[in-house]
Amino acid sequence: MHPAFSVIFFTTTSGAGYGLLALLGIFGAAGIIPSERWFGLTGLAVALGFIGVGLLSSTFHLGHPERAWRALTQWRSSWLAREGVLAVLTFIPAGLLAIGWVFFETTSGFWGVMGIIAAILAWLTVVATSMIYRSLVTIFQWANFWTLPGYLMLSIMTGALMLGAIVMIFDHGNRVIQGTVILSIAVAWVLKYVYWQYIATHKSLATPSSAIAVDGAKITPLDPPHNSANYLMKEMGYVVARKHAEKLRAISHITLFALPLVLSVGVYFTSGPVAIIAAVVAMLSSWLGVAVERWLFFAEAKHTVTLYYGAQSV
Amino acid sequence: MTVEQTPGFKFRDAHAEEDNVDLSPSLGDEVKYTTCYMCACRCGIRVYLKDGKVRYIQGNNNHPINKGVLCGKGSSGIMQHYSPARLSKPLKRVGERGSGEFEEIEWEEALEIATSRLKKIRAEDPSKLAFFTGRDQSQATTGWWASMFGTPNYAAHGGFCSVNMAAAGLYTIGGAFWEFGEPDWGLTKYFMMFGMAEDHDSNPIKIGLGKLKKRGAKFISVNPIRTGYSAIADEWVGIRPGTDGLFIMALMHELLKAGKVDQQYLVRYTNAPWLVIQDQGADDHGMFARDENGDPLVWSTKDEALKPSTDITTTPALKGEYKLADGRTAVPSFQIMAERYLDEKYAPAAVAETCGLKADDIKRIAAELAHVAFEEEIVLDIKWVDWAGRKQDRMIGRPVSFHAMRGISAHSNGFHTCRAIHLLQMLLGSVEVPGGFRIKAPFPKPIPPTNKPTGKVDHIKPGTHLPGMALGFPTEPADLLLKEDGSAVRIDKAYTWEHPLASHGLMHMVIHNAWKGDPYKIDTLLLFMANMSWNSSMNTSKVIEMLTDKDENGEYKIPNIIYSDAYYSEMVAYADLILPDTTYLERFDCISLLDRPISSPHSAADAIRYPIVEPDRDVRGFQGVLLDIGARLGLPGLVNDDGSPKYPGGYPDYIANHERQPGVGLLAGWRLEDEDGDHMDCRGPANPDQLEKYLENQSFWHHEFLPEHTYYKMANRGYLEWAHELGCVVTKTQIVFHMYSEILQSFKLAGEGHGAHQPPEKDRERIKTYFDPLPIWYQPLEETMTDLDEYPLHALTQRPMHMYHSWGSQNAWLRQITNMNYLYINRETAAKQGIVDEDWVWVISPYNRIKVQVKLMDGVNPNTVWTWNAIGKRSGAWNLDKDAPESKKGFLLNHVISELLPPRGDGYRYSNSDPITGQAAWFDLRVKIEKASPDEAGETFPQFKATKKPPHMPKKPKILRYGAEFKTHKKGGKK
Amino acid sequence: MTSLPHATNKKLGLVIDLDTCVGCHACATNCKQWNTGGHMAPLTDKNPYAKDPDGVWFNRVHSFEVKRGKTNPGLTVNFPRSCLHCENAACVTVCPTGASYKRVEDGIVLVNTNKCIGCKLCSWACPYGAREYDEDEGVMKKCTLCIDRIYNETLDPEDRKPACVLTCPAGARHFGDLADPDSDVSKLVANRAGRPLMPELGYKPTNSYLPPRARRVDGNDIGAENKLEAVSPRRGFLSWVDNMLSR
Ligand SMILES: Nc1nc2c(c(=O)[nH]1)N[C@H]1C(S)=C(S)[C@@H](COP(=O)(O)OP(=O)(O)OC[C@H]3O[C@@H](n4cnc5c(=O)[nH]c(N)nc54)[C@H](O)[C@@H]3O)O[C@H]1N2
Ligand SMILES: Nc1nc2c(c(=O)[nH]1)N[C@H]1C(S)=C(S)[C@@H](COP(=O)(O)OP(=O)(O)OC[C@H]3O[C@@H](n4cnc5c(=O)[nH]c(N)nc54)[C@H](O)[C@@H]3O)O[C@H]1N2
Ligand code: SF4
Ligand code: SF4
Ligand code: SF4
Ligand code: SF4
Ligand code: SF4
Ligand SMILES: [Mo]
């Protein structure tokens, strides 16, 4: 699949935003982080800012952004609509949480419940996003078990790294948060590793032979329907060279997981400016990493339609 | 994982309700019927017009040719009609030839320029005008005009197209492959197709193949390449190019060896029993023995006597040696034929390797042919009467059929190969029988048709018309068109000893010969509808040089070129005066029985085109312009006695009122009753309202023969009477097929030193070798003069079904399908040279080299490479962007083809053509492939400087939203 | 909402005969011609006379080569591709706006271009590449099964067929109700072992493809021998020639 900038940007920023929002809601309700106004304002502003910018960018690739509201109507069948509805709904408890936190400096009681609801909706939104991909049986690399947990865990992880950096800046660092960061990286790393293993060893049942309903040992295109590339080929025909993909995976392993993990462990055992810098660098590194990961998620996805254009498997 | 239906919710079709689709939109205000001209197939079309624009073009269900279907091109007519490459006004060249610099002039000025020059030529020497037409469908008019002008230098594209098919057929069965006949699609059980990618019968062949498929008839395609039709064949025979003749002779060998031959058919319908004089060295050796009336003789076994072949009471012998009255011996031609092909050199095992086939496959195909022809014969309970008046109570069919086209014809051995196929058909008794190959009216004609070429030296006089049509069919050496010194009368050297039976001329030699002044210089080259500076020339780069080459006085060697095209093709830039034509939806046209017909084997048909939409530019139909110029020149037949134009109404006036012979005009339908009040079908006084009648009948006329007249037309009294009435045949007696060709023998004898007309020494061997009364196979001429180890590959082109020569590329829809071409190579052949898919390679012939991109495939003969024809375009032409893929990645194979053969021992270079007919030997080409270096990749070679565009070409959009204006919304539906 | 009907009254669709298709592109260009002025007009073309021309087409014709092992001859297959009007049309269920829908009365899958936001998700959900994005208008378009022809009362009944079916010169395309086992198309599918495309994905396409028939390269296939017996040479040259042939 063509790795479109807007979709990569949308899923990674809103993912991180939802991850952060959810942690703020839960840790706030649980009293693990302080209900201090400026900290809350910053954390929620970052979270909702990421979510908002992400959502906004997702409308850029629409042919008719002015009709975007229509995308909320078909929630009963469409994961994209569900995502939209959940995204909108999330703003309600998130907004209430912000009111409590910023105006009343409290994250417990009713406001705490709002935090928990916001967290659940945030996670559900991410789940809905992942389900958009997971439900596309046309793309085997997406339509598998590992897509959902991968998305969710990367959202939590990038959100946690952001939270980790913010708490360090506000000098609210604590073991639970730092532990959460480390744990989320570890789990996300494992999930992503398994995902990559999975797509390397499994492929779709669809074959060139089933695509054209003709049995044969090998089926190769002779003439395409049209000489110049069309929408399908531009949108779905993206092929990433194996070497290139391997390199990018390595970059992903390092910037998304290894480096943040090492730095986060460092943060766990240190404090002061060093720890702040380490937490911020870990966060920044994960941003680069997740962009590369998401690029690969698209670029390595092989649509069944490519079977008509020369792919021997998808 | 699979998709699952969303469970649970009750369905309400709200979305459909909201969409509110208009299920019955109107297609517009008007429906008009005319004839397609996206190619020469000439299908009937129904054009829907909405607000004066073309909404939709559909096939006319009632039309005999296409029965409602349209091909990929015909379905894209809208884009042809609105093409931005349309010319819009007469043009006069102002820059150098080839630059594309023109100034617009008024029609009056254009006509004056043309007329004054032509007037001078006609007054001095009419043959200084060479008038050649390309994809012309009005040869009945253009050819007549040329002869009224008085020049012998007229021909259409047949010479470089498929004259081998036409001539071999017309000299053998009085009809031909090409579009002159077709398999009996409804009944045939076994169909062999040789060397066809598309042919002129574009839709009828597809309709026919569909029928075969439905019935489960076996279909074999003999073709080095497995695409298109070959793709759906039950059996693909991937033969080596140029060797079909041998393959066919091996099939004959097998049939003869097993005695699987329809003897009765041979005796009744062919000259197989006619006795051939056996008298080596005599003037008439190899000619038929005849009686005092000139009737050929046969040996009647019953009477044990020589009898005229027309005697229907005899039992003619097919073998044996018989004494003639003068004491000499003679044998039935069948025996000579059988002896020849029974020779072991035609055994499957002997030919298999040359053909690239397996001997067992050849044997099996012969057995299958015999099985279907003789074990599965079909009998129709249709009574009919033969030429001799004998009542027959049924029609016996041998349901094997053959069809062939340029894969056979575009080789220098194509004439004989094609004749070989006809012989095979005769052996199987399958011409003009149910289930066999059938000939389309007004064919079969006498063998060959009775018109001889005109243009003998005394025919060509200043200010005088020719006594007949320039093109015709020689039957003996005396018919050749030679000057006293033996040089050619015609600029293309047709009807000389170099190619005696060149019955369609040699259009591919005109530019070369005119440039060289060999046989003489001309003044004006008038071209119509032929892209001669591009895809219809061999050796395109050289032709471009010839068109722009100047003599020592700085004058162009071809002094004056007048051209009519409808579009900004590559040729336009090379003309001095452009007469812009209309598109096919804007003009009158006449698809005449006198031309290449659109008939079928069971009916005669003709058709017209008429303006469906008015031109929005200052353009005129070429035929009308030609008639106008003719009237200005005062040509006979075009002016009244007082010098006023005879057809003031232009081309439609001419179509309806011009008569070729009394009662015979361009159109056969709705002619008037003659003086006696008799109404004959296709003959009668001109009807001024004829075109109205055509319009009422959806622009075509169709005469269905009675079932009893539709088979055995060469010997069917009812049919022959009709054909006689129409003037297609001279007598109502049988047309006997020429299995053995006495005509060819007469030329051979001349070569051997007999008779008053003998070839010059330079051509003598050639005539002796290639003129043979029975089909022979020889290696294509170019191959015999080429180092085959150095140039190991055959190089071919095929027509894409959705493109017509060079025209398709201006079509916004068609060019999306194909806008560049690859060179296709067999996967294993490529592997041997380390070539992989999409590599760039040099294709090198002994004459030139081109650089192209390759694509590998399995379904191609390993010794063959090929590409799609005429996709490559010159930058700047057709109003395409300069960097369009057609010019940057597309290519023409023509650059590496030569119009001349390599010099032979004495340095003489013959045309690269069939030695009998002058058919251009496009497919004899041999090449080698070399991998291009990496920095050479990305663009084809050669590239040409982009030509400038003439003023006021129609605008071309960046985004095309054709049809948006037609969208309808149901009342109440949301807009 | 964009759920699918549980069942449609009819299943209108195409049956395409790969044994007969010669790859002429007539169905593709005729489709283009009809539909560029039809229900989803226009079928926009970008760069029509320049580099990289790219347009909206509802039907595209591929050609493939098929290798079938050593002994079985290879094939060239021409393959037209258009919307299959699937029963389980995920292109419909993924649509967030309701622009995509499947009609209850005949199963035709359509896009309401007034509602479509151009999110392209349906094109991702279609395995067969049958969705065509019109960049110029920013909406998704697709084969309508010529809904504006097949019910069109301004046309003669014989013309109420999809444009691609009417025009196919080889007669390789058939149109009808595949829900009705007695329809011509259902019988064709039954007799010729018609196949859906990529059945493993579960879309249950309505359109069916008739695979190429077995190649016949043995005399026996048509009841013939594999070679002819020569007439014994001992009986003399042309001994089989009949002496009493009548004129
Ligand atoms: N769509 C479309 N239709 C057209 C035209 C067009 O440009 N486009 N042009 C029209 C014209 S002018 C013509 S003349 C006809 C020509 O119609 P075709 O005769 O079908 O012409 P080609 O496409 O040249 O195909 C020649 C075929 O012969 C095969 N071949 C080449 N050499 C040999 C050989 O030695 N033996 C055998 N057995 N096969 C061989 C090639 O592989 C190819 O398939 O088509 C007409 N119809
Ligand atoms: N390599 C290779 N070359 C070949 C062949 C091959 O098989 N291989 N085939 C050869 C054969 S068989 C043929 S017949 C030739 C065909 O070659 P051409 O006869 O040259 O065919 P086109 O390229 O179609 O050129 C016809 C010209 O007519 C113009 N035209 C189109 N419509 C109209 C109209 O309505 N009015 C007027 N006045 N002009 C119009 C077009 O713009 C074009 O410039 O090509 C030959 N060239
Ligand atoms: S075959 Fe096609 S292009 Fe040729 S006349 Fe018929 S519909 Fe037109
Ligand atoms: S029109 Fe018919 S034969 Fe031509 S490509 Fe389409 S399905 Fe095949
Ligand atoms: S073919 Fe594609 S677009 Fe058509 S119904 Fe099936 S999934 Fe939808
Ligand atoms: S592109 Fe249009 S039709 Fe397709 S899913 Fe999006 S809104 Fe629906
Ligand atoms: S049914 Fe109509 S819209 Fe669909 S492919 Fe055929 S012609 Fe095109
Ligand atoms: Mo031709």
Side-chain angles (χ1 to χ4, degrees), chain A residues 91-102:
Chain A
F91 278 105
I92 298 168
L96 290 169
L97 174 67
I99 289 170
W101 209 325
V102 176

Side-chain angles (χ1 to χ4, degrees), chain A residues 85-118:
Chain A
V85 170
L86 287 165
V88 172
L89 283 181
T90 309
F91 278 105
I92 298 168
L96 290 169
L97 174 67
I99 289 170
W101 209 325
V102 176
F103 293 103
F104 307 109
E105 294 211 315
T106 166
T107 53
S108 57
F110 171 75
W111 311 110
V113 174
M114 285 308 114
I116 303 276
I117 295 178

Side-chain angles (χ1 to χ4, degrees), chain B residues 36 38-43 70-71 73-74 202-203:
Chain B
C36 181
M38 300 282 289
C39 91
C41 184
R42 295 154 291 179
C43 301
L70 284 188
C71 77
K73 298 158 278 152
S202 191
N203 280 330

Side-chain angles (χ1 to χ4, degrees), chain B residues 222 224 237-250 344-359 362 411 413 777-780 783-784 788 792 794 861-864 926:
Chain B
V222 183
V237 178
I239 198 165
R240 177 196 267 271
T243 64
D244 301 72
L246 271 185
F247 171 42
I248 294 152
M249 289 168 196
E344 280 306 306
K345 79 176 182 207
Y346 297 112
V351 308
E353 196 187 327
T354 313
C355 298
L357 306 176
K358 289 198 193 95
I362 302 175
H411 289 288
N413 57 13
W777 183 83
Y778 49 91
Q779 197 174 19
E783 287 184 21
T784 62
L788 301 183
H794 302 261
N861 178 294
N863 304 305
T864 303
R926 297 291 293 238

Side-chain angles (χ1 to χ4, degrees), chain B residues 2-3 5-6 9-11 13 15-16 18-19 21-25 27 46 55-58 61 69-72 75-76 78 84 190 203 206-207 210 213 216-218 226 228-229 231-235 254 256-259 263-264 267-268 301 309 311-312 314-316 318-319 334 338-339 342 363-364 367-368 370-371 376 387 390 734 801-802 810 812-813 815-817 819 857-859 880-881 883 956-964 966-967 974, chain C residues 1-6 19-26 29-30 32-34 36-42 44-51 53-55 57 65 67 74-76 78 88 90 93 98 101-105 110-115 136 147-149 151-155 158-159 163 166-170 200-203 213-219 222-231 237-247:
Chain B
T2 65
V3 288
Q5 202 154 326
T6 337
F9 300 101
K10 188 173 155 25
F11 187 82
D13 212 359
H15 299 295
E18 278 172 46
D19 199 11
V21 182
D22 186 353
L23 295 178
S24 282
L27 267 74
R46 201 199 282 175
R55 161 65 184 95
Y56 184 58
I57 304 176
Q58 192 182 341
N61 312 21
V69 306
L70 284 188
C71 77
S75 301
S76 308
I78 294 177
Y190 196 92
N203 280 330
K206 294 180 185 72
I207 296 171
K213 282 283 169 179
K218 179 162 177 180
R226 190 188 64 205
Y229 299 156
I232 65 163
D234 290 275
E235 181 170 1
E254 287 290 290
L256 287 165
K257 220 161 107 180
Q263 301 177 49
Q264 191 63 67
V267 161
R268 287 222 170 122
T301 51
S309 69
D311 183 344
I312 57 169
T314 56
T315 55
L318 284 175
K319 64 168 182 187
F334 178 81
E339 267 168 27
L342 277 167
K363 288 184 190 163
R364 171 176 50 78
E368 290 181 358
H371 170 82
E376 296 193 13
W387 63 281
R390 291 176 294 189
Q734 180 187 19
M801 291 183 186
H802 53 279
Q810 65 186 309
W813 296 343
R815 74 181 286 267
Q816 288 182 56
I817 300 174
N819 53 44
M857 66 184 288
D858 295 314
L880 295 178
D881 275 9
D883 59 354
K956 52 177 176 179
K958 289 226 151 36
I959 293 196
L960 184 63
R961 304 182 183 90
Y962 194 86
F966 299 136
K967 189 165 181 155
K974 275 198 242 153
Chain C
M1 80 187 172
T2 349
S3 306
L4 291 165
H6 288 302
D19 192 56
T20 305
C21 173
V22 295
C24 70
H25 291 269
T29 58
N30 209 290
K32 177 103 175 161
Q33 196 203 182
W34 173 257
T36 199
H39 172 59
M40 290 206 185
T44 313
D45 298 300
K46 236 174 63 182
N47 310 324
Y49 304 103
K51 210 174 142 178
D54 177 13
W57 295 73
E65 285 198 319
K67 263 210 167 105
L75 298 176
T76 304
N78 299 301
N88 280 348
T93 52
Y101 65 98
K102 184 170 174 74
R103 286 161 50 93
V104 200
E105 51 270 61
L110 287 179
V111 176
N112 180 346
T113 50
N114 294 316
K115 266 194 187 174
D136 178 49
I147 192 157
D148 43 1
R149 289 192 66 88
Y151 300 116
N152 195 327
E153 282 158 15
T154 73
L155 298 178
E158 57 174 3
D159 287 339
L166 275 179
T167 209
C168 174
E200 58 279 8
L201 299 182
Y203 280 63
R213 292 182 172 96
R215 293 306 186 237
R216 289 178 286 178
V217 288
D218 189 284
I222 59 164
E225 301 294 322
N226 278 325
K227 67 180 215 273
L228 292 169
E229 284 311 319
V231 177
F237 177 70
L238 297 184
S239 58
W240 46 268
V241 170
D242 186 353
N243 271 333
M244 289 309 281
L245 299 161
S246 62
R247 264 292 276 146

Side-chain angles (χ1 to χ4, degrees), chain C residues 14 31 35 58-59 82 143-146 162-164 173:
Chain C
L14 303 174
C31 168
N35 286 291
F58 293 170
N59 186 5
S82 58
C143 158
T144 65
L145 207 64
C146 289
C164 58
R173 304 175 73 89

